[in-house]
Amino acid sequence: MSLMSVADALNSILDGVTPLPEEDVSLDDALHRTLSRDLAALRTQPPAPMSAMDGYAVRTTDAAKGARLTVIGESAAGRPFEGPAIGPNEAVRIFTGGVVPAGADTIVIQEDVEREHNFITLAEAAPKPRHIREAGLDFREGDVMLRRGTLLSDRDLSLAASMNHPTLPVHRKPKIAILATGDELVMPGSQTGPGQIIYSNAYAIQALMRSTGAETISLGIAHDTMEDTCAAIRRAKEMGADLLITSGGASVGDHDMVKPALEAEGTDIKFWKIALRPGKPMMHGRCGSMRVIGLPGNPSSSYVCSFVFAVPLIRAMLGRAQVNHCIETAILGHALPPNDHRQEYLRARVLNDNGVAIATTVNLQDSSLLGNLSAADVLLVRPPLAPAAQAGERCDVIRLPA
Ligand SMILES: Nc1nc2c(c(=O)[nH]1)N[C@H]1C(S)=C(S)[C@@H](COP(=O)(O)OP(=O)(O)OC[C@H]3O[C@@H](n4cnc5c(N)ncnc54)[C@H](O)[C@@H]3O)O[C@H]1N2
Ligand code: MOO
């Protein structure tokens, strides 16, 4: 049976996603939220020509070497000179951030001036306009400085503040319910009995979802029964989850209940099983307005599939301008054998060798290994049926979050 390609699976998951409704948040809470509208400046910055230095505002026509000018007033930040435009042979004492008085067209820094009472003598000529930041140098009222879909960075918050926005319109965070399934699972810190495994998948998935901009709800562990799994799916719906992520129970074994339980709860399964390694038995469906991603239980598979599919889905729900992962080029540190029909995401490390990114895969790619997943800082992507590759060839990598 031919399996669905990764690209088709991603298209199916992203099909029909619209950004979630918007809400206003204060600047204090806006870091890493996604802007839902273009943001125009509510004011001009700087609002008037301002001095970039401490010194004297003068007219270039008066500023010959040795010229003696009369100081007629002062302009400090927030306290502009209130007199009329400065006239011939006049100067205004000015400080950094002070409004340049009308009539002046240059600033002479105080180091180049000798002051005596209300007079200054210029040690150097100042024939050209200098040290003045013109009105609107940063932005003008009405300029769109931040576009909708922007993931708000720390710098964006200061920009938005300077544009005079105390709050910002952002898309609501998607609610992601996370459910683990498996009779063998026990919580970290437990005394483990025979064959028991520590519940670990959800920690990385939850952190990944949160760092992508979602809020998460933990549904804990469901036993491998229809009752337990169906009850957890219903809870996710009742809590208004936008996305339910399950891990485990996705394969074909007698105890793999996720697919039948999802179907029993009315989920329209869009696909199950894709041409990908690790994570072949991944599934996706729609349960009313709730989307579902059913991840395989193996820890590396569940993480890689979350990264490859759930992260772009969340970004799309957030209205992000950039939904897909950024693919970078690295140089293979060693040879790779030919790939089979499944697109492969090899756990790898990238080392910077004199400015060249060298990718080296971890020694074992078994999808159960968390040590090797943790050691990786990139996924090295190999398309289906990629031929053998030699050390020194280019390869595609996607950076994993820090
Ligand atoms: N006959 C076949 N068998 C399997 C196939 C197949 O095509 N035919 N596919 C294999 C592949 S590929 C994968 S991947 C796994 C996926 O199986 P499940 O999704 O049913 O996963 P489980 O059996 O529930 O668990 C697998 C493994 O992972 C451990 N696990 C599960 N959940 C967690 C968790 N939350 N934290 C930590 N570890 C977890 C679980 O104990 C198992 O060891 O199926 C293959 N089989
Ligand atoms: O493809 Mo399954 O994801 O691990 O071994």
Side-chain angles (χ1 to χ4, degrees):
M1 189 185 80
S2 82
L3 299 168
M4 182 181 256
S5 71
V6 170
D8 286 349
L10 190 57
N11 283 339
S12 166
I13 287 174
L14 296 178
D15 185 36
V17 184
T18 50
L20 292 168
E22 65 180 12
E23 60 189 18
D24 282 332
V25 292
S26 72
L27 286 171
D28 287 333
D29 295 323
L31 180 66
H32 298 161
R33 300 295 300 267
T34 305
L35 208 55
S36 56
R37 275 188 253 159
D38 288 351
L39 209 66
L42 301 176
R43 57 185 287 282
T44 295
Q45 175 63 20
M50 285 183 168
S51 177
M53 299 296 242
D54 298 312
Y56 293 85
V58 303
R59 304 170 352 140
T60 46
T61 47
D62 298 337
K65 184 172 178 173
R68 187 173 148 92
L69 310 178
T70 309
V71 179
I72 59 165
E74 181 177 295
S75 176
R79 278 185 286 114
F81 173 65
E82 282 171 350
I86 70 170
N89 297 318
E90 289 181 341
V92 163
R93 175 72 167 126
I94 197 162
F95 300 99
T96 306
V99 173
V100 177
D105 61 356
T106 194
I107 307 296
V108 178
I109 61 172
Q110 63 195 56
E111 291 90 329
D112 288 346
V113 158
E114 270 199 25
R115 174 130 186 197
E116 215 185 327
H117 306 296
N118 277 349
F119 297 99
I120 54 169
T121 305
L122 306 191
E124 298 293 334
K128 288 190 184 142
R130 288 191 71 192
H131 306 311
I132 294 176
R133 298 182 174 127
E134 292 304 334
L137 179 67
D138 203 348
F139 49 80
R140 296 194 162 272
E141 183 178 343
D143 285 352
V144 171
M145 299 300 290
L146 291 167
R147 294 271 165 202
R148 63 189 281 214
T150 299
L151 170 64
L152 290 163
S153 70
D154 45 9
R155 287 95 66 210
D156 294 336
L157 302 184
S158 285
L159 172 60
S162 181
M163 289 156 70
N164 212 11
H165 291 275
T167 61
L168 297 180
V170 297
H171 289 290
R172 165 170 87 65
K173 290 184 175 194
K175 265 191 219 165
I176 317 291
I178 300 174
L179 172 69
T181 67
D183 290 341
E184 75 283 20
L185 301 177
V186 292
M187 295 304 284
S190 304
Q191 284 283 354
T192 49
Q196 285 188 324
I197 294 289
I198 303 292
Y199 161 93
S200 60
N201 290 356
Y203 294 98
I205 297 169
Q206 175 177 285
L208 179 64
M209 298 300 101
R210 288 183 186 169
S211 65
T212 307
E215 67 181 45
T216 58
I217 306 165
S218 173
L219 296 174
I221 305 165
H223 288 293
D224 290 323
T225 63
M226 280 295 275
E227 293 80 350
D228 229 25
T229 314
C230 285
I233 295 165
R234 283 198 295 276
R235 257 190 299 142
K237 277 209 282 193
E238 283 156 17
M239 289 169 148
D242 300 295
L243 170 66
L244 165 64
I245 294 181
T246 65
S247 85
S251 187
V252 290
D254 294 347
H255 305 284
D256 293 332
M257 293 299 153
V258 170
K259 186 165 174 283
L262 284 171
E263 283 169 333
E265 290 304 318
T267 308
D268 176 16
I269 301 286
K270 300 288 183 190
F271 66 76
W272 177 41
K273 296 187 180 173
I274 44 184
L276 157 129
R277 185 183 305 103
K280 180 178 77 168
M282 196 191 106
M283 67 186 89
H284 165 61
R286 312 275 168 92
C287 188
S289 61
M290 181 174 79
R291 283 162 195 263
V292 183
I293 290 182
L295 302 169
N298 280 319
S300 279
S301 313
S302 71
Y303 184 79
V304 168
C305 290
S306 302
F307 183 75
V308 171
F309 298 104
V311 168
L313 173 58
I314 290 170
R315 289 179 182 157
M317 287 176 168
L318 285 166
R320 281 281 165 80
Q322 168 83 21
V323 167
N324 292 318
H325 287 297
C326 177
I327 296 189
E328 297 173 41
T329 300
I331 300 299
L332 268 178
H334 54 84
L336 288 174
N339 190 19
D340 65 9
H341 62 288
R342 287 157 77 183
Q343 176 147 317
E344 186 154 38
Y345 291 85
L346 295 167
R347 277 71 78 207
R349 286 192 71 77
V350 162
L351 293 177
N352 187 325
D353 183 8
N354 282 324
V356 180
I358 308 285
T360 309
T361 59
V362 298
N363 59 342
L364 289 174
Q365 295 290 330
D366 187 293
S367 60
S368 68
L369 303 179
L370 273 170
N372 274 346
L373 179 64
S374 159
D377 51 23
V378 296
L379 295 176
L380 191 160
V381 190
R382 301 204 77 209
L385 307 177
Q390 302 307 312
E393 284 186 27
R394 287 161 168 263
C395 61
D396 288 340
V397 296
I398 308 177
R399 278 186 195 280
L400 293 170

